[in-house]
Amino acid sequence: MYSFLFKYIIIGDTGVGKSCLLLQFTDKRFQPVHDLTIGVEFGARMITIDNKAIKLQIWDTAGQESFRSITRSYYRGSAGALLVYDITRRDTFNHLTCWLKDARSYANSNMTIILIGNKSDMESKRAVSYEEGRQFADENGLIFLETSAKTASNVEEAFVNTASKIYEKIQKGDFDINNESFGIKLGAPTSKQDGTDQKPAGGGCCK
Amino acid sequence: MIFLFKTSNKYFYLLGVGGSCFLGFVFLYFLKKSYNNKNNKFIESDNNNKNNFEKEEKEMSQQLIEIRKKINDYSKLKYPTKQGILFKKSRYLKEWRNRFFVIEEDILYYFDIEKGNNSNKPIGTPLGIFNLLNCSFTLITNEKRSPLVFKIQEENGTNKDYKNCLISCESAEEFNQWFQLLPQIKQTMDRKKDLVIKLQALSRKKLQQKKYQQLKESALTIQRFYHLYEGERKLARFIFNVIKVQSYARCFIDRMRYKKIKEEIMVIQSHFQVIKAKNRLEKEFMRRRIAQELLSTEKSYVYNLKLIIDIFIRPLINFNSIEQRVLSVSEISGVFGNWERLYKINSDLLVLIQCKLDNWSIDQTIGDLFIENTDSLFEYTPYVTNYDHSRKLLAKLTSGNTNFRNFLDAAQRDKRSKYLDISSFLIQPIQRLPRYELLLRDLLKSTSTLHKDHKYLSKGIVKIKEITMYVNDQQKERENLSQVIQIQKELIMDNIKLSFSSATRLIREGEIKVSKKKTWNYMYLFNSQLVIIQKKDDKKLVKEVIQLEQLGIRDDNSSSSNTITNDSGTDLLNNSSNNLLLLSSTISSPDLSSSGTNAINTSSQALPIGTIGNKFKLIISSKTEISLYFDTPEEKNNWFADIAITLNRLETQKKNFEKSINLQTIN
């Protein structure tokens, strides 16, 4: 079935495009017409790294930005985190420090965090420059990418790069792969191969 | 008879003289009077003379009748032309009798003579009247009495016998006078008439000439006026036409402009109507879609809740024998919490939501459902607060219990679970609760403010937010308690008294130095005390415990000295702008109470002006001070701000406590 299962969490302020990123990655579609933000509970997709089948399971925290204690329940058991801000809203960039503090405090120390500046297609309304994002990522030891859930720019790379980073750490022996609390799970080698990948029914994405 | 004859001769002689004298005067008078009368008649009457004459004859006959009635006595005749006694032959007896004859103007009267006396006066009304103009006079020679006889006969009378009489005289001289006078009177009257006619004609001619002259002048005046009027009329007509044309043109232009404006208005109105209708339809469509989303996600959620019960909970509980039991009852409740209770709560909620959408219409409301039926969501609290324990227990059981791990693997292969592992299901109640606010908020955006549901949704959002915030706060309390308990276990206390209570909260922790030369120590900031420990061989030795009630802090590196102490009762707001900037920036950042081991506190806050250095002082008493050194200025500022905020909070609590004590004392 799969060699590894990596669990991701997508965090960030409300309205930055967390659900849209998830929907674009799992279903390769964008729904700007209905502007719905609900319905995406889980996202799951299979990718291949070094000829190994890796299943990515992604949790969406939409609607929980005001409830920090509830959101912290997601950090435990996550191998990777997508820290998302909106390049057209500076306040979402200014709040990254708080999100990062929470992630570092409540997740395991080896969690891989990637910084994502979403809505890169809205260049005319840009409020945070690429250099600022790059600098913040470098100062905090994060991977950095600018994406657009609408045009699918760098969306694939965001998830795959994080998975590659996690896979490197596994190869180095940084993770105890038998302990599922790190968000990594070994696939059973004797399980039957199933070609179909079950996808959740998504209802829409954010505005 | 001779005496009578002699007397008669004298009388007749006098009458003749007087008569010839008076004749001229009477003639002139009559002529003048007749002229005036005729002139008047001419002016008044028409130009038809024949009709005029006929009318005159009729009028004269009537006049004779009237005159006869009027002149009932001889004294009424005032201007006689000639008068005397003549013999008249009677009509029936054929006798000659004496009668008194009088001529006045053109009428002959004869009266009876008083018989008794010899006065010879006429008496009574006239016995007969002749209009001399209509009479003829003939001499009669065959009469027996005497040759002096003439006959008076009316010419136009129908009955000749009635209107004729024979007159005789005593003497020839007298006869001649009467016989000549009567025709003369007639001739005179005829001549007068001709003269009158001539005068009338002349007068008519002159009058005509005068009228013609006046008419000519009037015609000239009219012609002149006409020319002037014609000119003015033409000008007026021209002006009128110009004004008319202008009016038509203006009317046309106004009509065209009005038509254009009206068309534009109609276009705008139609656009507005289209946009309005479209907007309303889109809003209603969006509203319905979000409501549908609420239903479908709730249905999916309840399905997953049921799935966990069917695949995991019931098989684990329903093992028949004790030997085959995989988990104990306490372990099952430890992992799944009050899962079955959540399933019951949300099944009931799903029924209500389904009922709302089965009867969906434009006027349907859904916010009232969340106002009245969501109190049961408070029961999510034990599940959420137990989640951390559940996750740890699950990890422990998975690694330690082979039977449980095999059970999980078998359950995961069940196709109903969509190949999701159990932790993916256990996180779902954590996910679901905050989603209600998100769904209702989106629904509120698509609901018009005039809609009945707008008010319900606003209240529903408030209620859902209260529930979620309550659950969040309970979780926060749980986390903090675990944190404090963990720290308490790690600390080693020798002779120092350190006590924790259920209200103790950890605010900040990190590395410090109490002097420049010494090694790094570690410090915890709780909400009521400050603890400095020394790490030695992985053990944490408590070196000093400082109660915050008596503590003060001072930053000597600032441009101006800032001292904050509770003893002096100084309010933080009264301090310099440096601390205000620091405090305001710190207060605005969310979640102050979070900190962790080896936390990297990279702050994007702007440093207050004048705040430099990496140390500040703790003022424990008037004699004791401790200088604290930090790794970076940012670290120092964060610690300074947290301690200041905590001191301020203690001061506020102290004041409130004293106030309540005073109130109790008064009561």
Side-chain angles (χ1 to χ4, degrees):
Chain A
M1 184 174 179
Y2 52 80
S3 301
F4 294 99
L5 183 144
F6 296 161
K7 291 187 181 178
Y8 284 6
I9 179 176
I10 308 179
I11 55 178
D13 275 0
T14 179
V16 295
K18 302 190 290 294
S19 298
C20 290
L21 281 170
L22 177 54
L23 190 69
Q24 181 64 253
F25 179 66
T26 57
D27 290 351
K28 296 187 185 301
R29 61 187 171 90
F30 183 83
Q31 277 192 348
V33 175
H34 303 305
D35 290 336
L36 290 182
T37 186
I38 313 297
V40 185
E41 306 290 344
F42 296 95
R45 234 192 81 179
M46 299 290 292
I47 63 171
T48 304
I49 299 177
D50 290 351
N51 296 322
K52 293 289 178 61
I54 297 176
K55 180 173 183 179
L56 301 182
Q57 187 179 62
I58 305 133
W59 284 342
D60 187 12
T61 63
Q64 299 161 38
E65 300 85 2
S66 304
F67 311 107
R68 291 304 181 94
S69 295
I70 291 179
T71 310
R72 286 175 197 141
S73 304
Y74 288 85
Y75 293 117
R76 304 175 179 89
S78 298
L82 279 73
L83 182 58
V84 185
Y85 70 96
D86 184 350
I87 66 166
T88 66
R89 289 164 54 197
R90 174 157 281 277
D91 58 323
T92 63
F93 181 76
N94 295 338
H95 295 160
L96 289 177
T97 305
C98 302
W99 286 110
L100 190 59
K101 186 194 292 183
D102 272 9
R104 297 255 195 236
S105 301
Y106 292 94
N108 60 83
S109 58
N110 280 324
M111 184 169 74
T112 303
I113 303 173
I114 181 170
L115 180 65
I116 291 178
N118 195 28
K119 304 190 185 181
S120 63
D121 56 290
M122 301 171 76
E123 188 65 34
S124 60
K125 297 182 179 178
R126 180 185 280 273
V128 183
S129 66
Y130 180 88
E131 287 74 22
E132 286 177 284
R134 165 61 62 187
Q135 185 179 353
F136 184 88
D138 290 343
E139 287 172 355
N140 294 279
L142 312 175
I143 311 168
F144 178 65
L145 275 176
E146 283 197 345
T147 63
S148 170
K150 179 181 284 186
T151 62
S153 167
N154 279 344
V155 172
E156 192 88 3
E157 289 81 353
F159 289 90
V160 171
N161 288 4
T162 312
S164 298
K165 196 80 175 179
I166 298 169
Y167 188 72
E168 284 179 19
K169 292 180 178 179
I170 292 173
Q171 298 300 106
K172 290 179 183 177
D174 292 340
F175 286 103
D176 181 7
I177 57 178
N178 291 317
N179 188 351
E180 292 188 6
S181 64
F182 291 113
I184 299 170
K185 183 179 180 182
L186 280 174
T190 59
S191 65
K192 297 179 181 179
Q193 291 294 326
D194 192 346
T196 60
D197 186 12
Q198 294 293 328
K199 298 179 181 179
C205 53
C206 55
K207 300 168 184 175
Chain B
M1 293 297 288
I2 295 169
F3 172 77
L4 183 60
F5 182 76
K6 286 182 181 179
T7 306
S8 296
N9 283 335
K10 286 182 180 180
Y11 182 75
F12 277 114
Y13 178 79
L14 288 172
L15 285 177
V17 171
S20 58
C21 290
F22 277 102
L23 184 60
F25 293 104
V26 168
F27 177 79
L28 289 173
Y29 173 77
F30 183 79
L31 183 63
K32 187 176 179 180
K33 189 173 181 181
S34 177
Y35 171 75
N36 288 331
N37 290 331
K38 293 296 182 181
N39 196 8
N40 290 330
K41 285 184 181 179
F42 170 75
I43 290 165
E44 292 176 359
S45 66
D46 295 333
N47 291 328
N48 195 349
N49 293 324
K50 291 182 180 179
N51 292 333
N52 195 11
F53 283 123
E54 288 178 358
K55 288 181 179 178
E56 284 183 355
E57 287 179 358
K58 291 180 179 178
E59 289 176 358
M60 290 179 72
S61 63
Q62 291 180 356
Q63 284 180 358
L64 289 175
I65 294 168
E66 291 177 358
I67 287 168
R68 188 168 180 175
K69 291 179 180 178
K70 190 181 293 183
I71 301 172
N72 53 3
D73 194 6
Y74 169 78
S75 60
K76 298 288 177 69
L77 298 174
K78 296 185 178 180
Y79 305 102
T81 302
K82 186 173 180 63
Q83 61 185 358
I85 296 172
L86 299 175
F87 295 99
K88 178 180 177 295
K89 187 175 182 182
S90 66
R91 186 176 292 118
Y92 303 107
L93 297 176
K94 306 293 182 185
E95 289 180 353
W96 293 91
R97 292 182 179 177
N98 293 335
R99 297 284 186 253
F100 189 83
F101 281 80
V102 178
I103 298 173
E104 185 183 36
E105 295 182 358
D106 55 347
I107 298 172
L108 179 64
Y109 304 89
Y110 61 93
F111 296 86
D112 197 2
I113 295 171
E114 188 174 357
K115 294 180 180 179
N117 295 326
N118 292 327
S119 61
N120 295 326
K121 291 182 179 179
I123 60 172
T125 60
L127 298 176
I129 297 173
F130 287 93
N131 188 356
L132 296 177
L133 297 177
N134 293 330
C135 295
S136 63
F137 308 95
T138 54
L139 184 61
I140 305 296
T141 57
N142 57 358
E143 188 65 27
K144 293 179 181 181
R145 176 174 174 86
S146 68
L148 304 178
V149 176
F150 65 91
K151 181 179 181 182
I152 300 172
Q153 181 176 357
E154 281 190 353
E155 293 176 347
N156 295 328
T158 57
N159 191 358
K160 294 183 180 181
D161 294 337
Y162 181 79
K163 283 291 184 179
N164 61 50
C165 68
L166 297 175
I167 297 174
S168 174
C169 297
E170 288 287 341
S171 62
E173 184 180 358
E174 187 175 2
F175 177 83
N176 287 330
Q177 287 178 358
W178 283 92
F179 187 74
Q180 290 177 359
L181 181 57
L182 293 174
Q184 283 180 359
I185 290 172
K186 184 178 179 182
Q187 288 176 2
T188 303
M189 295 305 293
D190 288 338
R191 189 159 56 247
K192 185 176 72 174
K193 185 181 286 185
D194 289 338
L195 185 58
V196 165
I197 290 168
K198 284 183 181 180
L199 286 173
Q200 286 178 353
L202 184 60
S203 176
R204 191 184 310 111
K205 189 176 179 182
K206 287 184 178 180
L207 189 60
Q208 273 187 347
Q209 284 186 352
K210 188 175 180 182
K211 279 190 175 181
Y212 175 75
Q213 187 70 24
Q214 289 179 354
L215 188 61
K216 193 173 180 183
E217 291 177 357
S218 296
L220 288 172
T221 305
I222 287 168
Q223 191 174 9
R224 198 178 305 109
F225 177 80
Y226 176 76
H227 283 302
L228 188 64
Y229 172 77
E230 189 67 20
E232 288 184 355
R233 194 175 71 84
K234 284 183 178 179
L235 181 61
R237 179 179 288 272
F238 175 75
I239 291 171
F240 173 77
N241 284 335
V242 168
I243 291 171
K244 194 174 179 183
V245 169
Q246 285 182 352
S247 175
Y248 280 163
R250 191 180 298 107
C251 185
F252 179 76
I253 291 168
D254 285 348
R255 191 180 291 118
M256 291 298 292
R257 186 181 296 148
Y258 170 76
K259 190 175 179 182
K260 192 175 180 182
I261 291 171
K262 192 175 180 182
E263 284 179 356
E264 289 180 357
I265 288 171
M266 288 182 72
V267 168
I268 291 168
Q269 280 185 350
S270 66
H271 283 184
F272 178 73
Q273 293 295 333
V274 169
I275 291 167
K276 195 175 178 182
K278 189 178 178 183
N279 191 35
R280 194 185 294 111
L281 283 178
E282 283 184 353
K283 207 162 190 179
E284 178 57 29
F285 176 79
M286 182 63 62
R287 179 175 147 82
R288 184 194 172 94
R289 177 162 178 86
I290 295 168
Q292 200 75 38
E293 182 78 19
L294 174 65
L295 175 66
S296 65
T297 53
E298 188 69 20
K299 200 179 288 184
S300 174
Y301 176 61
V302 170
Y303 175 83
N304 288 335
L305 291 174
K306 184 72 160 62
L307 192 65
I308 289 295
I309 292 172
D310 293 342
I311 294 177
F312 291 96
I313 296 177
R314 296 220 180 275
L316 290 171
I317 291 174
N318 292 334
F319 279 105
N320 292 325
S321 61
I322 298 175
E323 292 80 11
Q324 294 180 358
R325 185 166 296 178
V326 177
L327 296 178
S328 64
V329 173
S330 62
E331 285 172 341
I332 293 172
S333 65
V335 169
F336 296 102
N338 58 343
W339 188 273
E340 287 179 294
R341 180 61 192 156
L342 299 186
Y343 170 69
K344 179 66 169 64
I345 290 166
N346 281 86
S347 296
D348 295 341
L349 188 62
L350 175 61
V351 169
L352 295 172
I353 296 172
Q354 182 76 56
C355 183
K356 283 285 184 179
L357 267 94
D358 287 343
N359 300 311
W360 187 259
S361 67
I362 293 176
D363 298 323
Q364 179 64 282
T365 59
I366 203 163
D368 53 338
L369 185 154
F370 283 89
I371 295 171
E372 297 161 4
N373 299 287
T374 50
D375 288 322
S376 55
L377 293 179
F378 279 110
E379 297 190 45
Y380 271 69
T381 306
Y383 184 86
V384 172
T385 54
N386 182 68
Y387 180 75
D388 197 46
H389 172 70
S390 165
R391 195 180 54 78
K392 291 175 181 176
L393 181 59
L394 186 65
K396 178 184 172 185
L397 292 173
T398 305
S399 61
N401 194 331
T402 307
N403 292 332
F404 183 63
R405 188 186 308 132
N406 293 334
F407 174 83
L408 289 182
D409 289 341
Q412 192 169 345
R413 293 198 191 93
D414 193 322
K415 288 191 176 181
R416 290 180 291 175
S417 66
K418 305 176 188 174
Y419 306 101
L420 294 173
D421 62 341
I422 189 169
S423 59
S424 301
F425 288 100
L426 293 178
I427 195 71
Q428 287 193 9
I430 306 293
Q431 276 186 321
R432 186 61 183 168
L433 193 58
R435 292 291 171 88
Y436 289 124
E437 185 197 344
L438 215 57
L439 283 158
L440 294 185
R441 197 176 294 279
D442 279 354
L443 199 61
L444 184 66
K445 286 178 189 174
S446 299
T447 303
S448 171
T449 53
L450 302 175
H451 200 290
K452 187 170 60 175
D453 203 19
H454 192 269
K455 182 178 63 177
Y456 290 149
L457 284 170
S458 300
K459 292 182 179 178
I461 288 169
V462 170
K463 178 144 189 156
I464 286 290
K465 197 164 187 176
E466 282 176 0
I467 296 169
T468 313
M469 192 59 69
Y470 175 80
V471 175
N472 190 67
D473 290 341
Q474 294 300 307
Q475 175 67 5
K476 186 186 289 185
E477 292 293 315
R478 183 61 177 263
E479 286 174 355
N480 196 84
L481 186 60
S482 301
Q483 205 169 23
V484 170
I485 290 171
Q486 184 66 25
I487 292 168
Q488 191 175 15
K489 288 179 180 177
E490 293 171 357
L491 299 181
I492 298 172
M493 293 168 280
D494 291 337
N495 294 323
I496 298 174
K497 181 186 288 183
L498 177 63
S499 64
F500 291 99
S501 66
S502 62
T504 305
R505 298 285 177 270
L506 178 65
I507 296 173
R508 180 172 281 273
E509 62 179 301
E511 289 184 338
I512 63 161
K513 285 197 293 184
V514 295
S515 66
K516 281 191 174 180
K517 298 178 181 179
K518 291 186 178 179
T519 60
W520 287 97
N521 286 331
Y522 205 81
M523 187 164 73
Y524 294 98
L525 174 63
F526 298 98
N527 57 337
S528 61
Q529 53 199 348
L530 200 60
V531 180
I532 301 175
I533 66 172
Q534 180 183 6
K535 291 185 175 179
K536 186 177 182 181
D537 298 336
D538 291 335
K539 294 181 180 178
K540 298 180 179 178
L541 302 175
V542 176
K543 303 299 288 184
E544 191 159 4
V545 176
I546 303 166
Q547 300 297 323
L548 297 182
E549 285 85 3
Q550 305 298 327
L551 186 66
I553 53 177
R554 180 171 70 239
D555 191 350
D556 293 332
N557 293 321
S558 301
S559 60
S560 63
S561 179
N562 298 320
T563 303
I564 303 169
T565 56
N566 283 333
D567 290 337
S568 63
T570 305
D571 195 345
L572 288 176
L573 295 176
N574 293 332
N575 287 303
S576 65
S577 61
N578 297 332
N579 281 327
L580 283 177
L581 277 174
L582 184 63
L583 291 174
S584 62
S585 63
T586 305
I587 288 166
S588 65
S589 63
D591 209 347
L592 286 175
S593 62
S594 71
S595 72
T597 308
N598 298 325
I600 299 171
N601 292 316
T602 55
S603 174
S604 63
Q605 300 168 10
L607 295 176
I609 298 170
T611 305
I612 57 174
N614 61 344
K615 74 164 186 177
F616 62 85
K617 284 185 177 179
L618 298 177
I619 304 168
I620 301 174
S621 65
S622 59
K623 295 181 179 179
T624 309
E625 292 183 355
I626 294 175
S627 295
L628 300 177
Y629 294 85
F630 300 90
D631 192 12
T632 58
E634 292 83 2
E635 186 91 4
K636 186 213 78 175
N637 289 329
N638 288 331
W639 273 99
F640 190 92
D642 282 340
I643 294 172
I645 291 167
T646 308
L647 292 175
N648 191 32
R649 194 178 296 147
L650 283 175
E651 182 71 16
T652 305
Q653 291 175 4
K654 187 177 179 183
K655 288 180 180 178
N656 291 335
F657 183 72
E658 288 175 352
K659 189 180 294 182
S660 63
I661 287 175
N662 289 332
L663 287 175
Q664 290 176 5
T665 305
I666 291 169
N667 290 332

